[in-house]
């Protein structure tokens, strides 16, 4: 699928200010030791592996020569280092862009959890002593509203803001999947359908005024 840079109708749909509706590029951080093993990695602040750093460098080519109005990053080191390696050493750090707080499941993988609770599914069962799915979705909605501020969309909570056109967010697998569902106006649990690899690039945008996925898991 396209990286989103040239996507859109010949006559683009515009914000009330006359600019193009905003597009949001998503970049998941590169590999860490825990992501390689399939472990739930929420607030534990672990670095990229050498392979993860190479993945991040390669992601620069996937994004291409986009002139972003804003570059946002999770506060966690694996996201900030990924942003640096794709060419943005000083991103706007967004405290609420961190990964799902997995509570008691932190550092464990789904096989271990299912051995104790057969049929466990995080999207349905949540995590013990961690964030609820609704709480993660609320954080994602805050970012979407910030990106769409001034654009006259349903998620615009600041209609007096000056709209932006191109934003990059570097963050985490579950969080970005939930954010994608919310961009589309779907319940957060629908994020389960958006598989996302380490250092994958995605683009969220519009089909006319309908929020749409432009590129996914590139």
């Amino acid at each position: 699928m396209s990286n989103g840079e040239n996507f859109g109708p010949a006559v683009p749909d515009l914000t009330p200010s006359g600019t193009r509706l905003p597009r949001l590029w998503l970049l998941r951080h590169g590999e860490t030791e825990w992501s390689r093993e399939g472990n739930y990695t929420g607030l534990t602040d672990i670095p990229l592996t050498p392979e993860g750093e190479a993945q991040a460098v390669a992601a620069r080519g996937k994004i291409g020569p986009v002139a972003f109005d804003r570059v946002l990053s999770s506060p966690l080191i694996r996201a900030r280092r990924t942003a640096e390696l794709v060419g943005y050493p000083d991103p706007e750090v967004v405290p609420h862009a961190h990964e799902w707080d997995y509570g008691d499941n932190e550092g464990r993988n789904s096989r271990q959890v299912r051995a104790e609770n057969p049929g466990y599914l995080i999207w349905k069962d949540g995590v013990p002593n961690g964030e609820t799915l609704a709480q993660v979705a609320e954080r994602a909605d805050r970012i979407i509203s910030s990106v769409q501020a001034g654009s006259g969309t349903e998620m615009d909570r600041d209609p007096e803001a000056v709209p932006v056109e191109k934003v990059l967010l570097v963050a985490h697998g579950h969080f970005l999947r939930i954010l994608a569902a919310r961009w589309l106006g779907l319940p957060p649990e629908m994020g389960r359908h958006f598989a996302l690899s380490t250092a994958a690039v995605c683009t969220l945008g519009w089909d006319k005024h309908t929020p749409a996925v432009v590129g996914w898991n590139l």
Side-chain angles (χ1 to χ4, degrees), residues 3 43 53 61 63 71 73 104 108 118 120 144 160 168 174 177 197-198 204 210:
N3 70 1
L43 303 183
E53 297 216 343
I63 295 171
V71 176
S73 174
D104 294 347
R108 310 178 75 208
Y120 171 81
I144 295 170
E160 301 303 315
L168 171 66
H174 272 133
R177 293 166 70 181
S197 305
T198 50
L204 303 176
T210 299

Side-chain angles (χ1 to χ4, degrees), residues 54-67:
Q55 290 175 344
V57 171
R60 184 185 308 183
K62 299 178 188 178
I63 295 171
V66 183

Side-chain angles (χ1 to χ4, degrees), residues 4 13-16 19-25 69-70 143-153 155-156 162-167 183 203-212 214:
D13 290 287
L14 305 177
T15 70
T19 60
R20 289 176 179 264
L21 285 171
R23 284 169 289 168
L24 177 59
W25 278 252
D69 300 300
R70 298 173 67 190
I143 292 176
I144 295 170
S145 294
S146 174
V147 170
Q148 296 185 17
S151 64
T153 61
M155 294 292 285
D156 179 5
V162 176
V164 297
E165 294 189 26
K166 301 172 186 177
V167 179
W183 180 279
T203 311
L204 303 176
W206 309 88
D207 178 12
K208 303 192 186 313
H209 278 273
T210 299
V214 178

Side-chain angles (χ1 to χ4, degrees), residues 16-157:
S17 298
T19 60
R20 289 176 179 264
L21 285 171
R23 284 169 289 168
L24 177 59
W25 278 252
L26 308 178
L27 172 60
R28 185 185 174 191
H29 64 78
E31 178 194 83
T32 67
E33 288 186 8
W34 280 13
S35 70
R36 184 180 61 210
E37 300 301 321
N39 296 348
Y40 290 116
T41 316
L43 303 183
T44 303
D45 209 4
I46 59 177
L48 301 179
T49 62
E51 174 62 21
E53 297 216 343
Q55 290 175 344
V57 171
R60 184 185 308 183
K62 299 178 188 178
I63 295 171
V66 183
F68 291 110
D69 300 300
R70 298 173 67 190
V71 176
L72 315 177
S73 174
S74 157
L76 296 169
I77 188 64
R78 57 192 185 272
R80 290 188 288 113
R81 178 61 173 158
T82 298
E84 178 182 7
L85 291 170
V86 296
Y88 302 100
D90 190 25
E92 180 182 340
V93 175
V94 181
H96 51 278
H98 62 78
E99 180 60 297
W100 197 334
D101 178 353
Y102 296 118
D104 294 347
N105 287 346
E106 182 77 3
R108 310 178 75 208
N109 62 46
S110 58
R111 293 187 303 277
Q112 292 172 307
V113 176
R114 288 195 184 106
E116 301 167 358
N117 181 11
Y120 171 81
L121 185 66
I122 191 171
W123 303 98
K124 175 175 62 74
D125 299 313
V127 292
N129 297 313
E131 279 185 293
T132 66
L133 180 56
Q135 288 173 322
V136 184
E138 188 278 332
R139 294 193 286 109
D141 283 357
R142 289 170 64 187
I143 292 176
I144 295 170
S145 294
S146 174
V147 170
Q148 296 185 17
S151 64
T153 61
E154 186 174 341
M155 294 292 285
D156 179 5
R157 301 291 180 265

